[in-house]
Amino acid sequence: MMRVRMLKYAVGVSLSLLSGLATAQAAEISYLTHWSPETVALLETAAKDFAKTHPDVTVTVRAVPFGDLLTTLRSQGAGGGATIAGIYDLWLPELVRDKLVAPAPEAVAAEVKQAWPAGVVSAASVGGTLYGIPNEIDVYALNYNKALFKEAGIAEPPKTWAEFKDAAAKLTKKDAGQQGFGMINSWAAGVVHPFASLLVSNGGDLVVDGKPALDSKQAGETFALYEELIKSGASDPGMATADANTTGPFLDNFVSGKTGMIIMANWWESALKGGMGDKFADIATAPIPVGPSGDKPRSISYSWMTVVNAGAGEAEQKAAWDFLAWLNSPQSGQNGGSAMSGILMSMGILPSRGSDVEAYKDKLGTEFLSGYVSVLADAKPFPVVPGGQEFSESLQQTLEALQYGQVTAADAQKSAQADAAAILEKAAK
C-alpha cells in the first residue's frame, strides 16, 4: 500500500458540522476560479448539492484564465468582487495587506489547523491568522516520454544532472524538431518553479530568512545548467511558450512527442490525458535529478486555497464560509473524501486534507501520480513572503532572457539577485 509519510495530519471533525443549520438569511454568493469549463461544471454540481440543505443560499461560479485571476481580484476590490475566490498562496500576503480577504471564523480556523498539515496551514496564514481553507498541493517532478527514451537507448530516468544532460542530448533530434528537455516561458510559475526545483535539488534556496539567496554557488550552477542546455540545442525556447490558460506550445510539444523531458506539476495530468489519449501510457514521472551540490532529490511545492471577500456583507460572508466548510468536509463527497477532493482528483491534483489523501490513496498510487507523491516528503514550499509575486515575475524575466541568449548565466545570476533584493526589501517595509 502506498505510504504518504509526510502527511501527518488528523482527520478531525467534519467541517460540515461548522455550518450548523441552514443559513437563516437568504444570500447570493459567487465563486471566482480559473478552472476549465469541465471542472467548473463539477463545482456547480457541488453547489446544487449544498443547496439541498441550504435552500436560502445561491452559489454562482465564474471562471477567468489563470493569467487574469489576480488582476480580476484586485480590480474588483473588496466591494463588488466575487464572494469566494480560489487563490495561489503566493498572493495571500498582499491581499491581506490590502484588506481584500477576510480572516477565517474561529471554528473554521480550528478545524483547518487540526485536519491539514502544518506547512499547508502556514501557507494559508499571515501573522498566525488563517485566511483561507487549503485545497490543493502541487509539487514538481520530471515528466518523461518512455517511448522516446527507448528509441534513444535510455534505460531509466536520470538521477543526477550529469545523467540529465546526457539524456537531453540523446533525446535531441534537431532535424526532426525534437528537443531533449522542454523549458517554459511567458508564464511566471511555469518559468520559475522548474528552475527552483532544480535549484533545491542542487542544495540551494530561492529565499532564506526573507532575503534572496540567488547569489549562492548552488544558484550559479543552476543558471549555468540552463545556459548549457540552451547553447547545446537540447532545449529550444521557441517551443516553450505558454498562453494565459497555462497551455500552449510547451504543452503541445510534449503531448506530440517533440519534447523528451519536462519538469511540471502534477495538476497537468488531465491536460496530458486529453491531448494524448492512449499514448498517455508512454508518460512516467521521476524525482528531480540531483545537482552536484545537492544531497537528495527535492522539489518546489505550492498550494492553493479558497478565501472570502472582506468587503462582502455579513450574510454573504457567513454563507460563503458555510459553503466552503461543507465543500471541504468528508460528508460532502464519496468514500470519506470531500467534494472538493473529488474535483481536484478529476484534474490529477493532490488534495491536502488528511482524510482526502486517505480516501484517494489507491488513485494516488498510479504510475503518473506516484512520482509526485514520492517527492512530497522532501519538497520545499515556494517562499510566501511580501513581494513574492513581483519577485517571481522578475526572476521569470531574467530566466527568459537567459533562455533567449540575451544574457549569460553569470549576468543572469547577478541581475536576479540584485532585483530580488530590491523587491523584497521594499515589500518588507
Side-chain angles (χ1 to χ4, degrees):
M1 183 177 64
M2 182 190 67
R3 300 176 63 195
V4 190
R5 291 174 293 175
M6 82 322 147
L7 297 173
K8 298 179 180 178
Y9 11 46
V11 172
V13 297
S14 167
L15 274 171
S16 63
L17 296 178
L18 301 175
S19 58
L21 300 176
T23 307
Q25 185 175 349
E28 294 184 2
I29 61 176
S30 55
Y31 192 125
L32 180 67
T33 181
H34 67 292
W35 288 338
S36 68
E38 296 81 7
T39 309
V40 166
L42 295 177
L43 182 57
E44 289 173 336
T45 297
K48 291 178 182 177
D49 289 340
F50 176 73
K52 294 174 183 177
T53 53
H54 296 73
D56 295 325
V57 178
T58 301
V59 182
T60 58
V61 184
R62 178 191 173 199
V64 296
F66 171 78
D68 298 334
L69 184 55
L70 180 58
T71 54
T72 299
L73 287 171
R74 289 198 172 283
S75 64
Q76 292 179 348
T83 323
I84 298 170
I87 70 162
Y88 172 32
D89 58 10
L90 188 63
W91 302 340
L92 185 63
E94 281 77 16
L95 294 176
V96 170
R97 179 199 62 197
D98 297 338
K99 297 180 172 57
L100 296 177
V101 294
E106 183 177 345
V108 172
E111 167 66 359
V112 169
K113 291 175 182 178
Q114 182 182 22
W116 272 263
V120 176
V121 174
S122 175
S125 306
V126 173
T129 298
L130 186 82
Y131 284 90
I133 297 182
N135 41 55
E136 70 178 85
I137 184 168
D138 296 276
V139 289
Y140 282 77
L142 183 72
N143 287 218
Y144 64 98
N145 189 310
K146 293 184 292 183
L148 296 182
F149 265 52
K150 185 177 181 180
E151 290 176 7
I154 305 171
E156 58 183 11
K159 295 182 174 62
T160 67
W161 281 13
E163 294 177 358
F164 175 57
K165 289 185 286 186
D166 182 62
K170 290 178 178 178
L171 290 164
T172 300
K173 298 180 180 179
K174 294 181 181 179
D175 293 342
Q178 180 176 308
Q179 62 177 347
F181 174 67
M183 295 183 185
I184 304 173
N185 56 54
S186 307
W187 163 33
V191 175
V192 173
H193 288 179
F195 173 87
S197 293
L198 285 164
L199 172 60
V200 297
S201 259
N202 192 37
D205 289 286
L206 289 169
V207 176
V208 176
D209 296 330
K211 297 181 179 180
L214 294 171
D215 57 351
S216 68
K217 171 189 174 184
Q218 295 91 334
E221 292 170 339
T222 311
F223 281 107
L225 172 65
Y226 265 45
E227 184 176 49
E228 183 176 348
L229 289 167
I230 292 293
K231 284 188 173 182
S232 70
S235 191
D236 180 357
M239 301 171 68
T241 307
D243 59 27
N245 290 309
T246 64
T247 56
F250 85 93
L251 168 64
D252 299 338
N253 284 309
F254 189 75
V255 165
S256 64
K258 295 296 184 181
T259 298
M261 300 181 290
I262 193 168
I263 294 174
M264 261 298 292
N266 47 275
W267 58 261
W268 85 327
E269 181 187 29
S270 58
L272 293 182
K273 286 182 174 179
M276 300 187 76
D278 293 341
K279 288 189 176 181
F280 175 73
D282 290 336
I283 305 305
T285 59
I288 306 295
V290 181
S293 298
D295 60 348
K296 63 171 63 176
R298 298 186 187 277
S299 169
I300 282 291
S301 68
Y302 66 93
S303 57
W304 279 71
M305 69 197 78
T306 39
V307 295
V308 173
N309 190 331
E314 182 178 349
E316 286 73 25
Q317 286 197 35
K318 181 184 185 306
W321 288 114
D322 283 350
F323 175 62
L324 291 178
W326 173 87
L327 184 67
N328 290 276
S329 71
Q331 281 67 38
S332 65
Q334 298 178 350
N335 303 318
S338 67
M340 174 60 84
S341 68
I343 294 171
L344 297 175
M345 287 297 297
S346 75
M347 297 182 282
I349 293 175
L350 307 180
S352 59
R353 179 171 177 147
S355 55
D356 289 336
V357 173
E358 179 65 22
Y360 285 96
K361 60 184 178 182
D362 292 337
K363 291 186 177 181
L364 291 172
T366 64
E367 182 178 19
F368 184 83
L369 288 180
S370 62
Y372 290 98
V373 173
S374 70
V375 303
L376 279 168
D378 295 310
K380 288 191 174 184
F382 193 89
V384 179
V385 294
Q389 180 65 22
E390 188 179 355
F391 161 72
S392 184
E393 291 171 353
S394 175
L395 182 54
Q396 170 198 357
Q397 294 173 5
T398 300
L399 289 171
E400 288 177 347
L402 179 60
Q403 285 183 31
Y404 284 101
Q406 297 168 352
V407 295
T408 65
D411 288 341
Q413 181 182 19
K414 183 178 179 180
S415 175
Q417 175 68 15
D419 292 345
I423 289 168
L424 297 185
E425 182 179 355
K426 178 180 178 181
K429 292 182 179 179

